[in-house]
Amino acid sequence: MCVNPPPDAVPGTPEGCAFLVGAGPGDPELLTLRAARVLAGADVVLYDALIDPAILALARPGARRIDVGKRCGRHAMSQAAINQLIVGCARDGAVVVRLKGGDPFVFGRGGEELDCLRAAGIKVQVVPGVTAACAAAASLQLPLTHRGVARSLHFVTGHGANGTLPAHEWAALTRAGGTLAAYMAGRTIAPLAAALIAAGLPGPTPAVAVENASRPNERHVFATLAGLAEAIAAAAPEGPMLVLIGAVLDRALVAEAGALARAA
Amino acid sequence: MCVNPPPDAVPGTPEGCAFLVGAGPGDPELLTLRAARVLAGADVVLYDALIDPAILALARPGARRIDVGKRCGRHAMSQAAINQLIVGCARDGAVVVRLKGGDPFVFGRGGEELDCLRAAGIKVQVVPGVTAACAAAASLQLPLTHRGVARSLHFVTGHGANGTLPAHEWAALTRAGGTLAAYMAGRTIAPLAAALIAAGLPGPTPAVAVENASRPNERHVFATLAGLAEAIAAAAPEGPMLVLIGAVLDRALVAEAGALARAA
């Protein structure tokens, strides 16, 4: 039975339900209070590969925890199988939490899971989460928007079908101004940077790659757009990577230099 | 003394510190666990006008709570005065929490507060938050990105200097594809929609205005881009407003129709 019923659920009916829950960027403390509450009432938790064990520990002791984790190129379970599993568990009467990194609706394929749940007539609620760009910005103390520097913010995915770079509107992205955040760009940064430069973004534009944003093993690679792919390759990242590009980075480099100077 | 010292603070020193904390979109349950912990250790909380009393109640009983709230055109305190107040309280040895709606670095002027704190040599940490677009998307059950429909997401502010519409790169925004989220667009939606249409975005593009995202008084106004300003005016909104524009909205309308059909 659904112990955390969505508002339109009928109280007392022994029907299952599903929650698409954003687990945030990685740090367990960046979970929302609602995500923690929903987890505590879950019968089944289907979680991504990079969800911290401390987050899974918030689910009640008897809950089934199922790793449906996907890492680049190594799918533990296909998206279709995940969709079927959520629907099947909810049909069996379980409160199902689909726990997803970041926010469910920012490059999370939450929409596909939602579609399947709706088609099956399952009650569903969505719990938003802190997205990786905000977490990386907080760690770097780097405003994503800043008066006089960036008044817009653009999220793109670096990971398209078969893991290749999607055909974004490079010229438009180049001319839009503001800050560019490329998600899941670890394996496609070379063609992504080349596409932006070919479309007119200057090679010296400052950039930073953030690996494992908000986790204890968070790492940053600062470089120019032109030098970013080589710099990332040298750092040999293994965790999820977000790339931020734009003039706000000039500020970060200056601030970092200032912090180093103060510490000296 | 700083009871929640940033990692580089020297333990035992009676120095103040500051936290720039994202309070999320409004619903107290969308606060992060870290924000709640930091609030519990605050000596002084400087908060925006729209922060829910239930969030302020998380600060310890003896904490000073200072409303520095700003609503469109009615500034309780200038940004410069806020900056000085944060620095002054931290210099007096207080643990200062600057509690900001949404995420501190997405159209929140957190960068300006950060600059002042750094210039004053105050230790500072930033706690990211759930941004309004993610909260609105969760409420609407509307994926911001979706395979085959939108693989990018663009945030712009509708509120520039003196409350007028900023001069965004309209042609680029129109051609970038993906979903467009306009923050603080309640007063500038007419020129914003006109600029997008003049730049080539079709007038029938679906859009939704979300007032008070994630709060009990959340309201939605669905319209085409061409009809949005009139539809919003008819709804006479008073709370903060986010506007989402793009093909993902076609899905939401269909889904809403489906939900109504199921409920009937």
Side-chain angles (χ1 to χ4, degrees):
Chain A
M1 200 181 85
C2 192
V3 295
N4 282 311
D8 55 348
V10 181
T13 54
E15 61 182 334
C17 62
F19 292 83
L20 302 180
V21 176
D27 182 338
E29 270 211 314
L30 294 180
L31 207 68
T32 64
L33 302 177
R34 175 168 301 156
R37 177 174 64 81
V38 165
L39 267 174
D43 297 317
V44 181
V45 181
L46 284 72
Y47 63 96
D48 286 344
L50 294 165
I51 301 292
D52 194 287
I55 293 177
L56 293 177
L58 296 172
R60 66 175 179 76
R64 278 177 67 198
R65 293 163 174 79
I66 304 173
D67 180 0
V68 297
K70 298 183 290 186
R71 291 300 311 281
C72 316
R74 302 190 299 276
H75 283 213
M77 197 178 283
S78 72
Q79 186 63 53
I82 294 171
N83 297 348
Q84 286 175 11
L85 189 56
I86 306 174
V87 168
C89 291
R91 280 205 171 129
D92 287 344
V95 178
V96 184
V97 169
R98 173 69 178 104
L99 194 58
K100 304 172 72 65
D103 178 85
F105 284 162
V106 176
F107 306 123
R109 301 189 71 171
E112 294 165 65
E113 295 167 354
L114 180 69
D115 284 348
C116 287
L117 287 160
R118 280 176 166 163
I122 308 289
K123 305 283 188 192
V124 58
Q125 265 194 17
V126 184
V127 180
V130 173
T131 191
C134 292
S139 294
L140 289 165
Q141 303 207 343
L142 170 74
L144 294 170
T145 65
H146 195 69
R147 292 224 160 185
V149 180
R151 56 190 167 194
S152 63
L153 172 59
H154 309 273
F155 292 1
V156 300
T157 174
H159 186 90
N162 303 316
T164 59
L165 184 67
H168 292 296
E169 295 290 338
W170 302 111
L173 288 172
T174 297
R175 286 182 206 127
T179 305
L180 182 65
Y183 281 64
M184 299 174 283
R187 296 188 172 204
T188 56
I189 188 60
L192 190 151
L196 287 170
I197 291 170
L201 204 60
T205 303
V208 63
V210 184
E211 184 189 11
N212 294 309
S214 87
R215 297 170 202 268
N217 56 350
E218 176 172 334
R219 287 197 303 168
H220 311 136
V221 177
F222 288 92
T224 62
L225 179 60
L228 188 60
E230 194 175 343
I232 290 175
E238 296 184 346
M241 176 163 292
L242 175 90
V243 173
L244 299 172
I245 301 166
V248 288
L249 266 293
D250 286 326
R251 293 171 30 82
L253 293 170
V254 168
E256 190 167 61
L260 289 171
R262 282 199 301 278
Chain B
M1 199 182 84
C2 190
V3 295
N4 281 311
D8 55 348
V10 181
T13 55
E15 61 181 335
C17 62
F19 293 83
L20 302 180
V21 176
D27 182 337
E29 269 210 316
L30 293 180
L31 206 68
T32 64
L33 303 176
R34 175 168 301 155
R37 177 175 62 83
V38 166
L39 266 175
D43 297 316
V44 181
V45 181
L46 284 71
Y47 63 96
D48 285 345
L50 293 166
I51 301 292
D52 194 286
I55 294 177
L56 294 177
L58 296 172
R60 66 175 179 77
R64 278 177 67 197
R65 293 163 173 80
I66 305 174
D67 179 0
V68 297
K70 297 183 291 184
R71 291 299 312 279
C72 317
R74 301 191 300 276
H75 282 215
M77 196 178 285
S78 72
Q79 187 63 52
I82 294 171
N83 297 349
Q84 285 175 12
L85 188 56
I86 306 173
V87 168
C89 291
R91 280 207 170 130
D92 287 344
V95 178
V96 184
V97 169
R98 173 69 179 105
L99 194 60
K100 303 171 74 66
D103 178 85
F105 284 162
V106 176
F107 306 125
R109 301 190 72 171
E112 295 165 64
E113 294 167 355
L114 179 69
D115 285 348
C116 286
L117 287 159
R118 280 175 164 162
I122 308 290
K123 305 282 187 193
V124 59
Q125 266 194 18
V126 183
V127 180
V130 173
T131 192
C134 292
S139 294
L140 290 165
Q141 302 206 344
L142 169 74
L144 294 169
T145 65
H146 195 69
R147 291 221 161 186
V149 180
R151 56 190 168 195
S152 62
L153 172 59
H154 308 273
F155 292 3
V156 300
T157 174
H159 185 91
N162 303 315
T164 59
L165 184 67
H168 291 295
E169 295 289 338
W170 301 110
L173 288 172
T174 297
R175 286 181 205 128
T179 305
L180 183 64
Y183 281 64
M184 296 174 286
R187 298 190 172 201
T188 55
I189 188 61
L192 190 150
L196 287 170
I197 290 170
L201 204 60
T205 303
V208 61
V210 184
E211 184 190 10
N212 293 311
S214 88
R215 299 170 201 268
N217 56 350
E218 176 172 332
R219 287 197 302 170
H220 310 136
V221 177
F222 288 90
T224 62
L225 179 60
L228 188 61
E230 195 175 343
I232 290 175
E238 296 185 347
M241 176 162 293
L242 176 90
V243 173
L244 299 172
I245 301 165
V248 288
L249 265 294
D250 284 327
R251 293 169 30 82
L253 293 169
V254 168
E256 189 167 64
L260 290 171
R262 280 199 302 278

